[in-house]
């Protein structure tokens, strides 16, 4: 029995000497030993600065000053993990039983860099031990040959999280507080994170129910909830070790602009109708090459509901291909701020003083590149409402091309394209063809003119440059043509104007109208207008100031049956602002026409007297100037014949 007591006493003494030696060992020597062990187990360098303090029971732990843990050989030169201080502790009793129960991992001001390249992650470790070669630590030993591994507490304070994929930095977040727990091998792993962003903080709650399966590379369930200023995001699906995932997602925003600002997109305006408040759900798939596929999408954007599918390539900017369907899409308040937005007040009705001089925010053209096709029952935009339409929007580096395939507008159909380019200042242009357009609707919406009605066809090319609506309208250039069937001009009665009716006011009904025009510096010019009526025809020429919103146009109707069938013209001048033009006969033109008629009458009388005098002298009837020449020739021939006969002695 005494020898047993001596052995126990000797063991305790040796253990005490070992512990004492460790406690008395200089910090730099202890750090060197730990670094060698980490190098042997992971193949990575561990650099420890300052004193290293150990604890043995009940927690076997270590506390150190500044620490840096090396990156994978193929990754960047920056360490995978660095921190101002690090504390690690494991359950000593569980460790003696073969289980690794990590009680704590606490890091102050750490930087964690996660890198993925060609399917390899820098979180996958290799051993430097010769017998192990380069076997991945992710490879799971045979069942029963390893003890349980758990994590009671992981805490990172004021951390920086960097994620690099194939050499490109995808995410870089500062001021992150992170806490994780995995208390039992069969329990879910939970993670909570918070980071400071403009306008507040983003909170992330993540749950992986089967961490061992995830760590072995199997796609496992994942639930993530992200709460940010202005909205929240939820994902419920599956994920694998490479970061690929698929499942259901749900995005809700109460203030989309605030949420975009929280993720580094400050200053991006979201117009009413396109999701100042949004509720979007669907099924999403993400692959490690940065591709997102969305199916069964339902998006409630303010009062608009859109369904469809989309494919997105994460890049700068994102590449989007989408096919969308909508019912009645209301974008009529595109440039209107939502009620109650901070710093903005509502005003009463504003008197129309011309085109708007407010700057146009075209920054949304730079949000993405790609191709989006939209089918809708109707689309209301400021000042216009399209009927059933099939539209394709192509986006390329702040340039948008809207293709109409066709679009229903003004009770007719438009084909062609409209372009908005904001690469170096804003410009808008188009090349359109129209069929069956209601002219009154078109002129009222586009120019505020409601005096002409009818159904027409036409073509229109235009280009405008400027940062305001007013600048664009004053810079318009282009050309076009229109042909209108039967229609009505309101505001004056052509029959009364030509003296064929005693009624006042009224309208003028025409059978057809055609005209071509050119645009330059916001001024439309036309010199070939032709209008056909029952008893009249009308010609027109003049200018329409698109930018200045005024008109100076000469409209010349001709009564075809008047003046003994010779016609009678009474020109009408339309001049003044669009809102209240003056329409009245141009008396100067009437007087000129009358004077020309009198001169012609005098010329005809003189000519007739000359013809009669010549006829009397020649003894023949002369009706025109050519008859005078013939009569003179005939008279000379007759007299010459008589003289020749006398010379020959004939009677």
């Amino acid at each position: 029995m005494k020898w047993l007591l001596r052995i126990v006493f000797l063991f305790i003494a040796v253990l005490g000497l070992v512990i004492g030696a460790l406690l008395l060992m200089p910090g730099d020597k202890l750090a060197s030993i730990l670094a060698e062990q980490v190098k042997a187990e992971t193949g990575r360098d561990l650099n420890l600065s300052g004193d290293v303090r150990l604890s043995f029971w009940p927690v076997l732990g270590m506390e150190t000053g500044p620490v840096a843990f090396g990156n994978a050989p193929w990754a960047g030169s920056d360490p995978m993990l660095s921190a101002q201080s690090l504390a690690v502790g494991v359950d000593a009793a569980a460790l003696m039983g073969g289980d690794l129960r990590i009680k704590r991992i606490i890091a102050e001001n750490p930087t964690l860099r996660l890198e993925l390249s060609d399917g390899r992650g820098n979180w996958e470790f290799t051993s430097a031990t010769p017998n192990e070669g380069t076997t991945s630590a992710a490879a799971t030993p045979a069942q029963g040959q390893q003890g349980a591994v758990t994590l009671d507490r992981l805490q990172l304070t004021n951390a920086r999280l960097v994620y690099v994929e194939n050499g490109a930095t995808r995410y870089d977040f500062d001021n992150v507080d992170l806490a994780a727990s995995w208390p039992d091998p069969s329990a879910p792993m939970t993670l909570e994170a918070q980071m400071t962003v403009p306008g507040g903080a983003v909170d992330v709650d993540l749950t992986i129910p089967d961490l061992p399966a995830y760590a072995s590379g199997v796609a496992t369930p994942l639930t993530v909830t992200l709460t940010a200023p202005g909205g929240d995001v939820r994902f419920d699906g599956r994920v694998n070790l490479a970061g690929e995932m698929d499942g259901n997602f749900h995005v809700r925003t109460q203030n989309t602009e605030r949420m975009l600002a929280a993720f580094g997109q400050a200053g991006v305006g979201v117009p009413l109708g396109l999701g100042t408040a949004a509720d979007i759900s669907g099924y999403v798939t993400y692959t490690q090459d940065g591709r997102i596929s969305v199916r069964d999408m339902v998006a409630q954007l303010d009062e608009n509901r859109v369904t469809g599918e989309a494919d997105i390539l994460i890049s700068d900017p994102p590449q989007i291909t989408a096919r969308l369907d909508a019912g009645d899409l209301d974008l009529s308040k595109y440039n209107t701020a939502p009620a109650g937005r901070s710093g903005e007040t509502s005003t009463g009705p504003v008197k129309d003083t011309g085109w708007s001089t407010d700057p146009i925010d075209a920054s949304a053209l730079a949000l993405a590149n790609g191709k989006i096709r939209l089918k809708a029952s109707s689309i209301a935009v400021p000042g216009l409402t399209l009927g059933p339409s099939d539209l394709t929007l192509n986006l390329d580096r702040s340039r948008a091309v809207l293709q109409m395939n066709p679009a229903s507008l003004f009770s007719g159909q438009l084909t062609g394209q409209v372009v908005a380019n904001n690469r170096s200042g804003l410009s808008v242009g188009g090349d359109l063809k129209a069929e069956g357009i209601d002219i009154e609707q078109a002129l009222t919406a586009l120019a505020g003119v409601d005096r002409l009605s009818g159904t027409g066809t036409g073509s229109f090319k235009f280009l405008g440059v400027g940062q305001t609506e007013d600048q664009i309208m004053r810079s318009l250039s282009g050309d076009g043509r229109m042909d209108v069937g039967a229609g009505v001009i309101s505001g004056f009665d052509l029959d009364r104007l030509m003296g064929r009716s005693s009624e006042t006011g009224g309208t003028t009904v025409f059978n057809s109208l055609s005209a071509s025009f050119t645009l330059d510096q916001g001024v439309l010019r036309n010199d070939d207008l032709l209008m056909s009526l029952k008893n009249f025809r009308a010609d027109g020429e003049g200018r329409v100031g698109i930018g200045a919103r005024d008109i100076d146009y000469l409209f010349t109707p001709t009564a075809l049956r008047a003046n003994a069938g010779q016609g009678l013209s009474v020109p009408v001048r339309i001049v003044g602002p669009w809102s209240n033009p003056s329409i009245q006969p141009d008396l100067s033109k009437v007087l000129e026409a009358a004077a020309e008629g009198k001169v012609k009458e005098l010329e005809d009388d003189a000519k007739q007297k000359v013809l009669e005098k010549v006829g009397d002298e020649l003894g023949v009837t002369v009706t025109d100037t050519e008859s005078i020449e013939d009569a003179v020739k005939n008279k000379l021939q007759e007299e010459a014949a008589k003289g020749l006969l006398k010379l020959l002695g004939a009677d």
Side-chain angles (χ1 to χ4, degrees):
M1 190 64 176
K2 290 181 180 181
W3 62 269
L4 181 58
L5 292 175
R6 290 174 181 174
I7 291 175
V8 172
F9 178 79
L10 181 60
F11 176 78
I12 294 174
V14 172
L15 182 60
L17 289 173
V18 172
I19 294 175
L22 290 173
L23 293 175
L24 295 175
M25 184 178 295
D28 56 348
K29 182 62 176 177
L30 185 56
S32 177
I33 295 174
L34 292 174
E36 291 176 1
Q37 292 299 314
V38 169
K39 178 76 171 182
E41 294 296 329
T42 67
R44 309 278 183 89
D45 292 326
L46 176 65
N47 296 318
L48 301 172
S49 303
D51 292 335
V52 177
R53 296 178 297 275
L54 299 178
S55 62
F56 292 93
W57 196 270
V59 175
L60 178 60
M62 176 191 71
E63 295 181 11
T64 181
V67 60
F69 180 62
N71 215 331
W74 51 264
S77 59
D78 294 326
M80 176 182 174
L81 173 66
S82 62
Q84 184 175 337
S85 65
L86 178 66
V88 179
V90 300
D91 188 318
L95 187 61
M96 294 178 65
D99 297 329
L100 178 59
R101 179 177 293 276
I102 302 173
K103 302 296 291 184
R104 64 175 182 269
I105 299 177
I106 302 174
E108 295 288 339
N109 302 319
T111 296
L112 177 62
R113 297 179 62 89
L114 300 179
E115 299 191 39
L116 182 68
S117 178
D118 298 328
R120 299 175 300 174
N122 67 340
W123 54 85
E124 299 175 359
F125 303 115
T126 58
S127 173
T129 303
N131 292 336
E132 293 180 353
T134 58
T135 303
S136 171
T140 305
Q143 187 69 25
Q145 295 184 5
Q146 66 175 357
V149 179
T150 60
L151 172 65
D152 287 356
R153 179 189 178 195
L154 168 65
Q155 181 176 322
L156 306 180
T157 304
N158 193 27
R160 178 187 176 197
L161 303 181
V162 181
Y163 177 67
V164 179
E165 187 173 310
N166 295 323
T169 300
R170 298 296 186 187
Y171 306 105
D172 190 342
F173 300 121
D174 287 322
N175 303 318
V176 178
D177 293 332
L178 183 146
S181 176
W182 182 43
D184 188 87
S186 61
M189 190 277 286
T190 61
L191 180 147
E192 297 178 358
Q194 183 181 84
M195 63 179 177
T196 303
V197 297
V202 172
D203 294 306
V204 179
D205 292 315
L206 179 149
T207 301
I208 299 180
D210 192 347
L211 185 60
Y214 171 76
S216 66
V218 176
T220 57
L222 169 69
T223 301
V224 180
T225 300
L226 184 151
T227 304
D232 60 80
V233 180
R234 180 176 175 83
F235 173 83
D236 189 356
R238 301 181 306 160
V239 65
N240 65 18
L241 198 59
E244 298 177 322
M245 58 181 64
D246 67 330
N248 296 303
F249 76 95
H250 194 175
V251 180
R252 292 177 296 184
T253 69
Q254 298 80 40
N255 188 325
T256 304
E257 291 183 13
R258 187 182 178 195
M259 190 171 181
L260 288 173
F263 291 101
Q265 299 297 322
V268 176
V270 180
L272 277 172
L274 291 181
T276 58
D279 191 321
I280 306 172
S281 61
Y283 190 87
V284 63
T285 300
Y286 172 75
T287 58
Q288 67 181 53
D289 59 355
R291 298 182 182 275
I292 299 175
S293 173
V294 180
R295 299 294 182 264
D296 302 324
M297 183 186 69
V298 178
Q300 188 70 39
L301 308 175
D302 299 318
E303 300 302 320
N304 296 316
R305 186 176 187 272
V306 179
T307 61
E309 55 189 28
D311 294 298
I312 304 169
L313 174 62
I314 298 177
S315 58
D316 186 21
Q319 302 283 334
I320 300 175
T321 302
R323 293 169 295 277
L324 306 176
D325 291 284
D328 297 321
L329 192 59
D330 185 4
L331 304 177
S332 61
K333 300 178 181 179
Y334 185 90
N335 290 323
T336 304
R341 181 171 296 180
S342 175
E344 299 177 0
T345 58
S346 175
T347 61
V350 179
K351 183 179 179 180
D352 183 13
T353 57
W355 304 113
S356 172
T357 57
D358 294 334
I360 297 174
D361 182 6
S363 60
L365 296 177
L367 288 179
N369 292 334
K371 182 177 181 179
I372 302 173
R373 184 173 182 179
L374 171 66
K375 293 183 178 180
S377 301
S378 68
I379 305 174
V381 296
L384 300 175
T385 299
L386 286 73
S389 300
D390 185 352
L391 308 176
T392 300
L393 179 64
N394 291 283
L395 298 168
D396 180 28
R397 297 175 292 119
S398 296
R399 183 177 184 268
V401 179
L402 180 63
Q403 191 75 33
M404 304 178 186
N405 308 306
S408 299
L409 183 63
F410 306 131
S411 302
Q413 290 190 332
L414 286 180
T415 57
Q417 64 182 25
V418 177
V419 180
N421 189 338
N422 196 41
R423 290 176 180 172
S424 56
L426 180 62
S427 64
V428 295
D431 186 355
L432 301 172
K433 293 183 179 180
E435 294 284 346
I437 297 297
D438 187 306
I439 300 300
E440 182 178 14
Q441 292 181 21
L443 291 178
T444 300
L446 299 177
V449 177
D450 59 0
R451 295 177 180 270
L452 177 64
S453 64
T455 301
T457 62
S459 60
F460 184 25
K461 295 180 180 180
F462 68 96
L463 175 65
V465 180
Q467 295 300 133
T468 69
E469 190 178 72
D470 183 75
Q471 291 175 354
I472 291 173
M473 291 301 180
R474 292 181 184 274
S475 70
L476 283 175
S477 62
D479 57 68
R481 178 176 180 84
M482 71 173 182
D483 294 280
V484 183
V488 174
I489 302 176
S490 62
F492 73 97
D493 190 331
L494 191 56
D495 280 330
R496 186 179 70 84
L497 185 66
M498 303 299 290
R500 298 176 59 88
S501 173
S502 61
E503 297 181 1
T504 60
T507 59
T508 297
V509 179
F510 61 87
N511 296 326
S512 65
L513 182 153
S514 64
S516 63
F517 59 86
T518 60
L519 270 170
D520 184 44
Q521 296 299 310
V523 177
L524 182 150
R525 298 188 183 276
N526 156 258
D527 59 7
D528 64 352
L529 183 141
L530 176 61
M531 180 183 294
S532 174
L533 302 91
K534 181 178 181 181
N535 298 313
F536 308 94
R537 65 167 285 164
D539 300 278
E541 61 179 351
R543 57 170 290 277
V544 179
I546 304 296
R549 298 168 70 95
D550 63 359
I551 185 171
D552 185 358
Y553 200 83
L554 183 63
F555 183 71
T556 307
T558 301
L560 300 176
R561 299 180 183 179
N563 194 22
Q566 299 301 311
L568 176 63
S569 299
V570 180
V572 176
R573 184 168 292 278
I574 307 171
V575 62
W578 290 355
S579 57
N580 187 28
S582 171
I583 303 176
Q584 56 188 357
D586 190 334
L587 298 181
S588 64
K589 296 293 183 181
V590 175
L591 294 176
E592 290 175 5
E596 291 177 0
K598 189 65 176 178
V599 171
K600 185 66 167 59
E601 182 180 346
L602 293 174
E603 290 177 349
D604 291 343
D605 289 343
K607 178 180 178 182
Q608 185 62 35
K609 289 180 180 180
V610 170
L611 294 175
E612 291 175 357
K613 183 64 175 175
V614 172
D616 291 341
E617 292 294 333
L618 298 177
V620 297
T621 300
V622 181
T623 59
D624 54 36
T625 55
E626 292 183 359
S627 296
I628 292 175
E629 183 179 355
D630 293 339
V632 172
K633 288 180 179 180
N634 292 335
K635 189 65 176 179
L636 290 174
Q637 290 176 357
E638 181 181 343
E639 293 299 328
K642 289 180 179 180
L644 182 60
L645 291 173
K646 287 181 180 181
L647 181 62
L648 296 175
D651 293 334

